[in-house]
Amino acid sequence: MSKKALSQLSFDPPESLDKDQVVAKVLQLRGSALFTVCEPNGNELLVEIPAKYRSKAWIKRGGYVVVDKSEFTDQQNKIDGSIVYVVQHPLKNWEKQSYWPKEFVNNTAAEIDESSSSESAEESD
């Protein structure tokens, strides 16, 4: 795993991703350290967050992470990769990166609009 991984909880995106790293959307929590995520191509992966970052990173359903699949390619287990970055808001810095999947661009804009309109509705109550 990269030495920079999760060091900033990823407010600032890296310049590039390694060949075995991919941006993925979090679908569900599967346990204390396991998550189901979806790659831009629709492929679902079971990923883990490293033990030393479990209490430091907040990962929510619908959020985005960068997954490193390199250390799990030769292993015969159910885990497909580990989380190396947790994407934090605002997403606009991430969306500007050349590696950000075009499949996620419209989704992130809709999620931001949805969360801000639900906050506005709560304030008006």
Side-chain angles (χ1 to χ4, degrees):
M1 179 165 68
S2 167
K3 295 194 186 295
K4 293 191 319 183
L6 288 172
S7 62
Q8 303 170 27
L9 291 181
S10 307
F11 287 104
D12 298 316
E15 292 293 320
S16 63
L17 298 181
D18 294 341
K19 69 178 182 93
D20 291 326
Q21 293 179 341
V22 63
V23 176
K25 184 173 184 173
V26 179
L27 298 178
Q28 74 181 109
L29 175 65
R30 297 287 300 265
S32 61
L34 296 175
F35 299 85
T36 301
V37 299
C38 182
E39 292 181 293
N41 63 9
N43 187 28
E44 289 187 12
L45 304 173
L46 180 64
V47 299
E48 68 177 355
I49 188 166
K52 64 183 177 180
Y53 297 114
R54 290 179 189 162
S55 64
K56 296 177 179 153
W58 178 264
I59 301 173
K60 64 179 184 172
R61 189 170 20 125
Y64 296 91
V65 295
V66 176
V67 175
D68 186 349
K69 301 188 289 185
S70 64
E71 58 188 274
F72 293 94
T73 54
D74 296 332
Q75 295 182 9
Q76 298 297 322
N77 62 21
K78 295 179 181 181
I79 299 175
D80 300 306
S82 64
I83 296 172
V84 293
Y85 290 97
V86 178
V87 177
Q88 301 291 312
H89 286 282
L91 294 174
K92 62 184 176 186
N93 294 335
W94 283 85
E95 289 179 336
K96 292 177 186 176
Q97 301 301 317
S98 60
Y99 55 78
W100 189 263
K102 65 181 183 307
E103 294 86 352
F104 293 156
V105 173
N106 293 334
N107 292 342
T108 56
E111 288 167 12
I112 291 169
D113 290 343
E114 200 173 282
S115 66
S116 63
S117 62
S118 66
E119 289 172 5
S120 300
E122 290 173 5
E123 291 173 5
S124 64
D125 288 343

